[in-house]
Amino acid sequence: MADGLKITPEKELAFRFELKKTIPTTIKITNSGKEETAFKVKTTAPKKYCVKPNTGFVRPGETQMIQVIMQAQREWPADISGCKDKFLVQTTPSKGNADFAELFAKGKADITESKLRVVYSQPAPPPSPVPEGDEGVNYGPSSMDAGVAHRGPMSDDVSVLQRDLERYRINNESLTMDLKMAIQNNNRGAAAAKGFTLMHLLLVAFLFFLLGLNAAKRLA
């Protein structure tokens, strides 16, 4: 490592692994020396990680933060503790040269390399919903749980009541029809009875009329 140049972390680049989430971490390059330093970051899995910036310069007395983002993963690695991914951080004095192809040409003697191995850590488990000291307490069902537990029998009772109401409705309609028919028959019977009585009176009146005529003839 060049004098006055420090790369953090030194050996391992850690990611807190989670499914379907982008996971960031950082590499820090601190230049406490007297000359400007150029850097370049490489990885063995370029499609899996995004490095911003992957090249640049660090002036004397300054610190460069490099963000490394792991793309969202859909599956857990086969061996979460044995990741094979690696990063390589190369540094070299810039000496006023801005051509990275020349600065990091293969075989150049003043290039310093720092290798970082990727390690994964699992996210912390969620806190227990039961407070400490309450593990032995037996909590009864909540009102919502009780409602859910009785939902089945209640629905059966409602079905029975609905069937009974339908049966009563049908019986009521049948009784109503019977009552209407009885009223109609009664009205017809009453009308017939009235007709018979009136006819009878007319016959009686006619007989009395005839008797009256006979009596008048006799008197004459």
Side-chain angles (χ1 to χ4, degrees), residues 45-65:
K47 293 183 179 180
K48 188 176 181 180
Y49 302 95
C50 178
V51 182
K52 297 180 180 180
N54 62 344
T55 59
F57 300 95
V58 186
R59 295 178 180 178
E62 293 184 354
T63 297
Q64 175 68 52
M65 303 298 293

Side-chain angles (χ1 to χ4, degrees), residues 144-207:
M144 183 177 295
D145 295 336
V148 172
H150 290 83
R151 187 173 297 173
M154 184 178 293
S155 61
D156 294 340
D157 294 341
V158 171
S159 299
V160 172
L161 290 174
Q162 289 177 344
R163 289 196 297 268
D164 292 342
L165 288 174
E166 182 66 16
R167 186 168 62 252
Y168 293 150
R169 185 185 65 81
I170 295 173
N171 291 338
N172 185 40
E173 291 180 355
S174 178
L175 290 173
T176 302
M177 293 180 63
D178 292 342
L179 180 60
K180 288 181 179 179
M181 293 179 64
I183 292 173
Q184 291 176 358
N185 292 334
N186 186 38
N187 290 337
R188 291 174 183 174
K194 287 181 180 179
F196 177 77
T197 303
L198 181 59
M199 185 178 294
H200 184 265
L201 291 175
L202 290 174
L203 289 174
V204 171
F206 183 69
L207 289 175

Side-chain angles (χ1 to χ4, degrees), residues 76-128:
W76 285 93
D79 184 7
I80 196 169
S81 61
C83 181
K84 304 297 183 181
D85 301 338
K86 295 180 176 63
F87 281 82
L88 178 66
V89 181
Q90 295 177 312
T91 59
T92 187
S94 64
K95 298 178 182 180
N97 188 357
D99 189 342
F100 282 90
E102 293 181 3
L103 288 171
F104 294 97
K106 188 175 181 180
K108 194 167 180 287
D110 58 354
I111 296 176
T112 303
E113 295 182 343
S114 177
K115 296 179 180 180
L116 302 176
R117 184 175 67 89
V118 174
V119 294
Y120 294 147
S121 62
Q122 297 185 19
S128 174

